[in-house]
Amino acid sequence: MTLKLRSVGASDRGLIRSGNQDAQHAGPWLVAVADGMGGMAAGDLASRIAIDAIAPLDVETPEDALVAALQGAIERATAGIRGAVEEDPERQGMGTTLTALLFARTGSCLALAHVGDSRAYLFRDGVLKQVTRDDTFVQMLVDQGLITPDQASSHPRRAVVTQALQGDQVSPAYATMVPRAGDRWLLCSDGLSNVVRADTLTEVLGEGLDRDACAARLIDLALRAGGPDNITVVIADVVEE
């Protein structure tokens, strides 16, 4: 039996924002979430550039080429955003997060790329683990022991990211992992993770809902919590086929 990735994505603009600056991709080999920033149309454009740059990776990729493929896509996204700013200087400051998971054609490995404060969680054997580390000011304070994670969740500067794809040099985090049958991955923008607690995420991911129902349930919970931001969710299951 070979391990395969089966995924679904969903997005909602939330209850406050006039538009949706998030973008996502949910395919058989690649899943990704991008959360744009920069106001007006610029955030929409930045997140779309990032997803358009990485979407071509949704093909069978050898295990030893996963990280290099992700690195190349991020370089293309960076160049695309830089070009968009040069084309219209009013877009200066636009950018996007990007969190992506690429599954090897053999099913024996997956690679993760991350920059910004969107998140990837792994739900395995009933336990939820946040695999990515937020590139934010408050996470830096937590790392330095100046505030607790609970304090970070309500800190007035919790939305300040320390790096994102903005056309300049960035230092994304990359990791490789060995998948297991039964793993369920959640990739999301901070419109979910900022308003729905980790213990609630764990409960929903463990309820046995199918992927579509699980994504819809998570978005509904974020809306019930006020929906102050765009909400994007990708659910990806590792299955035996």
Side-chain angles (χ1 to χ4, degrees):
M1 299 289 281
T2 304
L3 296 181
K4 300 288 187 182
L5 196 67
R6 295 290 176 259
S7 66
V8 66
S11 191
D12 192 286
R13 75 176 186 183
L15 301 177
I16 306 296
R17 301 293 175 90
S18 59
N20 193 340
Q21 298 192 80
D22 289 357
Q24 53 88 12
H25 179 94
W29 303 102
L30 172 79
V31 291
V33 167
D35 180 354
M37 60 194 78
M40 298 192 300
D44 301 8
L45 179 60
S47 63
R48 178 46 52 195
I49 288 171
I51 293 299
D52 286 350
I54 204 165
L57 302 188
D58 199 357
V59 294
E60 295 187 14
T61 304
E63 180 179 326
D64 59 2
L66 296 176
V67 173
L70 289 168
Q71 289 171 330
I74 286 178
E75 288 170 4
R76 289 191 297 276
T78 297
I81 292 170
R82 183 167 58 247
V85 173
E86 289 170 352
E87 185 180 278
D88 183 354
E90 289 192 5
R91 294 170 177 158
Q92 186 68 43
M94 83 174 192
T96 184
T97 70
L98 182 64
T99 301
L101 196 68
L102 183 60
F103 205 71
R105 68 183 179 195
T106 58
S108 59
C109 183
L110 57 82
L112 181 75
H114 169 75
V115 58
D117 64 350
S118 296
R119 290 183 177 177
Y121 294 91
L122 172 60
F123 183 72
R124 173 182 283 176
D125 297 331
V127 177
L128 184 69
K129 178 182 179 182
Q130 182 182 333
V131 179
T132 52
R133 176 189 172 279
D134 295 345
D135 290 320
T136 58
F137 174 73
V138 294
Q139 183 61 53
M140 189 170 62
L141 296 181
V142 171
D143 292 345
Q144 294 171 354
L146 299 175
I147 62 173
T148 66
D150 277 349
Q151 290 171 326
S153 66
S154 59
H155 195 282
R157 298 188 68 189
R158 65 184 179 278
V160 178
V161 295
T162 51
Q163 68 167 354
L165 300 182
Q166 293 184 286
D168 302 321
Q169 183 102 16
V170 290
S171 300
Y174 297 98
T176 57
M177 298 181 63
V178 176
R180 285 191 206 163
D183 286 351
R184 171 162 279 191
W185 285 87
L186 163 64
L187 272 61
C188 65
S189 61
D190 65 345
L192 177 71
S193 56
N194 276 350
V195 296
V196 180
R197 293 173 55 91
D199 55 353
T200 303
L201 298 179
T202 303
E203 182 181 325
V204 174
L205 291 167
E207 283 178 345
L209 299 171
D210 65 33
R211 289 179 288 278
D212 288 288
C214 185
R217 174 74 175 133
L218 291 172
I219 287 177
D220 181 62
L221 286 169
L223 292 172
R224 288 172 181 267
D229 200 352
N230 305 147
I231 311 147
T232 298
V233 170
V234 172
I235 303 292
D237 290 331
V238 178
V239 301
E240 280 186 327
E241 286 192 359

